[in-house]
Amino acid sequence: MTFEPEKLGQSRSDLAEVLRDQRKRAGRTQTWLARRCTMSQTKVSNIESGKLTPSLVDVELILEALGADEAISTEILSLARRANTEWQDHWSSRRRGLDKKQNELARLEAVSKEFRFFLLSMITGLLATPDYVRASIADVPGDQSKTVTKKLERQQVLHESSKSFTFILTEQAVRWPLLPPMAMSVQLDRLASVSRIPNVRLGVIPLSGHIPERPLNTFTVYDRRMATVETGTGALILRDHRDVAAYLNDFETYERYAIFGNDCRKLLEEWSMIFTRQR
C-alpha cells in the first residue's frame, strides 16, 4: 500500500465512522460485538467514537465478527493502517518551534517505561553534551536556546529508576565528527559516564568483523506499543503491533553485535584518545 504522508494519522475519525456504520448495517449492538471480539463494551464504544485508535488485529476481529465481505475488509484495513501511522515532517516541527517538539518527547518519556534506541549515524539528545546538542540544531535559524535547554532537561529521565533504557550506537554514530576533536572527546566521555547509570545499557557496534545486516534508519521503540523511525526529512510514528514487532526484532538483532559494559567503555576511551591526539 502506498502512503500519502499528509493523510497519515488523519484517518482515525474516518475509521471510527466506517466501523460504526458496519456494525449498524449488520444490525448488531456494541454489547454483542464486544462479546464476539472478547473486548469490553467500553473499548468498542471508544473505538466507534474515535477516542481510541484500534490496532489492525482489533479491526480484523471486528470485521470478521460482522461478516464484512473481502472488498470492504480490504478497504477498511487500509484505512486502519493509515490511522496507526503518523508522519511528522521536519519543516512543520521547525515552524512550530523545536522547543515544542521537546515538550512532546518529554510527555512521551513520562508515560513510557522501557526505551530502546538504535542510533545509526548520530548521538541522540538524551546522551549529548551541550556542545553536541547545539551543533545538532545549528542549521535551524533563530534563537535555539529554549530547545537546547529543554533537550538537556530531558536527560534527567535517565535517572528515573522505574524506567529502563538500552542504547545501541554504531561506531559511525559515536565517531562522526560533528564537533572539533576536543569537544568530541568530551562527548565520548559523556557516553561512558551514562553507561554507568544502573538502569541504562549502552552498547556500541564496532565497524569490524562481519556484520551481515543492513540498517537503514535510526529508530526508537517505546515499551512495546510505538516505534519512531527517523528519515532525512521527518519521522514516521508507527503504532500497529506488526510494525512495532518488526523494529523490536531488528533491535534484538543489532543488540547481538553490540559491545556493552567495561568492553564498551574501553572502546569509547580508545576513540576518545584518538580525538584528543587530533587537537
Side-chain angles (χ1 to χ4, degrees):
M1 179 179 67
T2 300
F3 285 141
E4 297 179 54
E6 66 275 9
K7 293 183 179 180
L8 296 180
Q10 298 178 356
S11 319
R12 295 168 195 163
S13 60
D14 295 336
L15 179 61
E17 181 179 356
V18 75
L19 289 174
R20 183 172 62 249
D21 288 347
Q22 284 296 308
R23 176 182 60 77
K24 290 181 176 179
R25 287 177 183 177
R28 301 297 186 179
T29 65
Q30 288 184 349
T31 302
W32 179 91
L33 183 59
R35 186 168 59 250
R36 286 295 298 268
C37 296
T38 320
M39 300 178 186
S40 68
Q41 189 273 329
T42 300
K43 179 174 181 177
V44 172
S45 176
N46 286 340
I47 289 172
E48 292 190 356
S49 65
K51 294 179 181 178
L52 174 67
T53 302
S55 69
L56 264 69
V57 171
D58 289 334
V59 175
E60 288 170 346
L61 288 172
I62 290 170
L63 294 174
E64 183 178 354
L66 295 175
D69 64 41
E70 184 176 351
I72 291 175
S73 294
T74 299
E75 182 178 345
I76 294 176
L77 285 169
S78 177
L79 185 62
R81 182 78 167 178
R82 292 198 298 272
N84 277 276
T85 307
E86 180 182 346
W87 170 252
Q88 295 182 348
D89 66 85
H90 290 330
W91 299 283
S92 295
S93 295
R94 291 181 178 189
R95 283 195 301 269
R96 290 189 302 116
L98 292 183
D99 58 313
K100 294 181 175 61
K101 175 65 174 179
Q102 298 307 306
N103 291 336
E104 293 175 4
L105 289 171
R107 288 192 293 269
L108 179 57
E109 289 158 0
V111 300
S112 303
K113 295 293 184 183
E114 190 172 9
F115 304 79
R116 297 173 177 86
F117 293 79
F118 178 72
L119 305 172
L120 178 63
S121 57
M122 281 186 63
I123 296 167
T124 190
L126 290 180
L127 303 175
T129 63
D131 284 344
Y132 198 98
V133 169
R134 282 188 284 269
S136 69
I137 57 174
D139 62 328
V140 180
D143 182 8
Q144 298 301 326
S145 56
K146 285 185 179 180
T147 301
V148 172
T149 298
K150 289 182 180 294
K151 273 181 172 282
L152 296 176
E153 287 175 350
R154 282 178 46 227
Q155 294 178 356
Q156 293 303 312
V157 74
L158 296 174
H159 298 279
E160 294 186 22
S161 58
S162 62
K163 302 179 186 295
S164 65
F165 299 83
T166 304
F167 297 92
I168 297 176
L169 301 90
T170 65
E171 181 176 342
Q172 173 178 310
V174 174
R175 299 182 64 179
W176 187 266
L178 187 66
L179 299 170
M182 281 307 298
M184 282 301 302
S185 179
V186 173
Q187 174 60 73
L188 268 61
D189 292 345
R190 158 76 180 166
L191 295 180
S193 176
V194 171
S195 74
R196 296 183 183 277
I197 299 174
N199 56 313
V200 172
R201 292 181 72 236
L202 189 149
V204 297
I205 301 177
L207 296 178
S208 59
H210 178 219
I211 305 177
E213 309 297 337
R214 48 199 180 282
L216 300 175
N217 299 93
T218 285
F219 64 87
T220 306
V221 181
Y222 296 88
D223 297 322
R224 292 180 177 271
R225 58 187 174 82
M226 189 176 86
T228 63
V229 184
E230 300 289 335
T231 75
T233 56
L236 276 171
I237 315 299
L238 305 171
R239 295 182 179 85
D240 177 57
H241 83 283
R242 285 174 285 196
D243 291 324
V244 176
Y247 279 98
L248 281 170
N249 183 66
D250 284 349
F251 190 87
E252 291 171 0
T253 297
Y254 301 138
E255 193 171 11
R256 291 196 289 269
Y257 295 98
I259 297 172
F260 293 89
N262 289 331
D263 290 337
C264 172
R265 287 186 283 272
K266 183 178 179 181
L267 261 182
L268 292 172
E269 183 180 2
E270 290 175 2
W271 295 338
S272 177
M273 290 302 297
I274 291 173
F275 280 118
T276 300
R277 290 195 292 270
Q278 292 175 1
R279 61 177 177 173

